[in-house]
Amino acid sequence: MKIFRIFIKDIKVFLGNIKFYVLIYLIMPLLLGVLDGMMYEKQLNPDRHIPIVNVALIDMDKSSYTAPLKDILTNDNMKEFIELSNVVDINGVKTKLEKGKIETAIVIPKGFSEKVQKGENINIKILKSPSSGIESQIILDIVNSYVQVLNNNANIFSIIDGSVNDKTSIGMLKKAVITRTITLNSENFINTVNMTKDKKLSGKQNFTISMLAFISLYLSVIGAQNMVREKEEGTFARLKSTTLSMRNLYVAKICFVFFITLVDITLYMGICKVIGISVGDSYVKLILISILHAFAITGISAFIMNLYKSQKNLNAIFTAVIMVFAMIGGSFYPLGNSGKIMQEIAKATPNYWIQNSYNKITLGGSIKELTVNIIVLLSIGILGIAFGAFFMRKKEGNNLFKTLNRGEKVEI
């Protein structure tokens, strides 16, 4: 009952500044997460599309040998990123290329079909805009692939010409070879399957989660400040009349930290869901990690609340520590873009394990995949609370416990 009364008192004090806490621990991290996600949208978002490429085709030959190339460039798969236009004026095309209005032009020279029939090598020109990038390279590779087929045909034709005397048979063989090889070049022999393991977080998902992990570290400071404030204001001495033990006071403080952290996480996740940022479909795993997250923050708060005598020192030192954790743990940048050594160092920070846990849930990870995360978060909470109790007893001394329990006056 004593613990509950202290807990309620701390909640009332906390609610006295609720507008400030809502701004700092809910609105600001969400806003920063969304803005950072938008900044890194192109680098992180998994649903990337190749921009539409404007391609001009100048067919000076207009034969049955050039038709399959047009079919390849206009099939259903290519239509998603190639906009093909048939033009005649090559000078006009060059002007558009220079101005960047089109990225690539394909020029099929006159007499193209005759060279194919004679078994000679075929040349198709590719004109690229000065501002073109990988899109033009894709078109170049497609045309190169097609021309390679025809060049292979030329080699086959030379063998046929040297081995078959009947001109009628030669013509039939060449026609069969051309038809079949062009068909092979334009057919789709690949079936693309999207693997579930290839899922990636969007920019907004990545940074809203990392901001939650980062800002929650400051909740541990709130709990620690609460304990230090009691010492600075002499509350211990005033509480002696209630025969309150330090143990009860310690339990009340860590319960307060656990409660406000869990509420903050719940509200944060709820707002993410409302604004359309998915944090996973498994509520069971989300609740489990949220509780462990709050427990880990409670452990950190319990550890530091008995290390400092003044709120000023606590704020100055641990704020710097949190910023170091944020930089190393990947709160302000995509950790996956850093080197392997940095990714390993990040595992030494609590915010890394917090955000990594939510990342796995968002990507549909199983409980088995979360095993290490669960162990780490649970260990942070248990060790933090245990060491906090140890430092409290060591610092205050056994005599303080005895004196408080006897109701004698104590100077803090």
Side-chain angles (χ1 to χ4, degrees):
M1 202 62 187
K2 299 171 186 175
I3 295 174
F4 181 73
R5 284 199 297 267
I6 298 171
F7 172 78
I8 294 299
K9 176 183 74 70
D10 289 340
I11 292 295
K12 289 180 179 178
V13 173
F14 180 81
L15 292 176
N17 295 313
I18 191 63
K19 292 181 180 179
F20 171 78
Y21 292 126
V22 167
L23 175 64
I24 298 300
Y25 294 98
L26 278 177
I27 297 176
M28 285 301 296
L30 274 168
L31 184 60
L32 288 173
V34 171
L35 290 176
D36 282 345
M38 293 170 65
M39 288 172 61
Y40 285 91
E41 186 174 7
K42 290 187 177 180
Q43 292 94 322
L44 295 178
N45 282 8
D47 51 342
R48 302 172 186 169
H49 299 282
I50 298 175
I52 295 293
V53 187
N54 293 308
V55 181
L57 177 62
I58 305 170
D59 186 1
M60 299 179 181
D61 190 67
K62 296 181 181 178
S63 66
S64 59
Y65 296 99
T66 60
L69 179 58
K70 296 177 187 177
D71 294 338
I72 292 171
L73 294 172
T74 56
N75 67 35
D76 292 338
N77 291 327
M78 296 299 179
K79 280 181 179 178
E80 294 181 4
F81 71 96
I82 293 178
E83 187 174 315
L84 187 68
S85 58
N86 292 286
V87 296
V88 178
D89 183 14
I90 190 169
N91 292 323
V93 168
K94 289 181 179 179
T95 301
K96 289 182 178 180
L97 285 168
E98 291 173 358
K99 293 181 178 180
K101 292 183 177 180
I102 58 174
E103 286 83 9
T104 310
I106 303 170
V107 182
I108 302 177
K110 193 173 182 179
F112 178 82
S113 58
E114 294 177 4
K115 288 187 177 182
V116 173
Q117 292 172 351
K118 291 178 181 178
E120 298 177 4
N121 286 341
I122 304 106
N123 294 314
I124 295 178
K125 292 182 180 180
I126 303 293
L127 305 178
K128 296 168 61 177
S129 169
S131 60
S132 67
I134 191 172
E135 298 86 357
S136 292
Q137 185 61 44
I138 293 172
I139 303 301
L140 177 62
D141 291 341
I142 292 171
V143 175
N144 279 340
S145 177
Y146 180 75
V147 171
Q148 184 63 48
V149 172
L150 297 183
N151 285 333
N152 290 337
N153 287 346
N155 294 327
I156 295 172
F157 295 163
S158 64
I159 295 173
I160 292 174
D161 288 333
S163 304
V164 181
N165 295 323
D166 186 352
K167 291 185 178 181
T168 303
S169 298
I170 290 174
M172 292 175 62
L173 283 170
K174 287 183 177 181
K175 185 176 181 181
V177 168
I178 290 174
T179 303
R180 183 56 185 155
T181 53
I182 289 176
T183 301
L184 286 172
N185 192 53
S186 60
E187 285 179 349
N188 184 11
F189 292 94
I190 298 174
N191 183 25
T192 303
V193 178
N194 292 322
M195 303 299 289
T196 55
K197 291 291 184 183
D198 195 37
K199 290 181 180 178
K200 293 182 180 179
L201 295 175
S202 68
K204 291 178 182 178
Q205 287 174 320
N206 186 86
F207 283 102
T208 50
I209 290 172
S210 65
M211 284 296 107
L212 171 63
F214 164 64
I215 206 68
S216 66
L217 294 177
Y218 282 99
L219 289 172
S220 66
V221 178
I222 290 179
Q225 282 179 331
N226 207 325
M227 188 68 152
V228 175
R229 188 184 304 115
E230 301 281 14
K231 298 177 184 179
E232 288 183 328
E233 296 177 355
T235 306
F236 293 165
R238 292 194 297 272
L239 290 173
K240 66 182 178 58
S241 59
T242 64
T243 66
L244 175 72
S245 71
M246 286 292 292
R247 186 181 295 106
N248 288 341
L249 185 64
Y250 180 65
V251 172
K253 297 302 180 184
I254 62 177
C255 286
F256 165 74
V257 179
F258 179 81
F259 178 77
I260 64 170
T261 304
L262 190 59
V263 170
D264 182 73
I265 295 169
T266 303
L267 292 174
Y268 192 95
M269 290 297 179
I271 296 173
C272 285
K273 194 74 174 178
V274 170
I275 63 178
I277 301 175
S278 174
V279 286
D281 298 324
S282 175
Y283 289 106
V284 173
K285 286 180 281 189
L286 192 58
I287 291 171
L288 173 62
I289 294 300
S290 296
I291 292 173
L292 289 172
H293 175 188
F295 185 64
I297 295 299
T298 303
I300 296 171
S301 183
F303 178 75
I304 64 175
M305 67 173 51
N306 289 294
L307 294 180
Y308 301 95
K309 294 182 179 180
S310 69
Q311 297 180 67
K312 183 178 180 181
N313 290 339
L314 170 64
N315 290 335
I317 296 174
F318 207 71
T319 296
V321 172
I322 290 175
M323 292 305 297
V324 172
F325 282 166
M327 293 299 297
I328 296 175
S331 294
F332 302 136
Y333 62 94
L335 190 60
N337 293 352
S338 61
K340 290 184 179 179
I341 295 177
M342 197 64 194
Q343 291 182 30
E344 290 300 317
I345 294 174
K347 294 179 181 178
T349 65
N351 49 303
Y352 166 83
W353 291 103
I354 293 168
Q355 62 196 49
N356 184 259
S357 300
Y358 288 118
N359 289 348
K360 287 182 178 179
I361 294 174
T362 306
L363 296 175
S366 63
I367 291 291
K368 185 177 180 180
E369 292 175 302
L370 287 165
T371 301
V372 176
N373 300 72
I374 291 170
I375 293 172
V376 171
L377 294 178
L378 194 61
S379 299
I380 292 173
I382 292 173
L383 292 174
I385 292 172
F387 278 108
F390 172 77
F391 289 134
M392 179 187 67
R393 291 179 66 89
K394 184 177 179 181
K395 193 170 184 179
E396 302 298 337
N398 290 327
N399 291 334
L400 178 59
F401 286 94
K402 295 177 182 177
T403 305
L404 283 172
N405 285 325
R406 289 198 302 266
E408 296 178 8
K409 185 176 180 180
V410 178
E411 296 295 335
I412 302 296

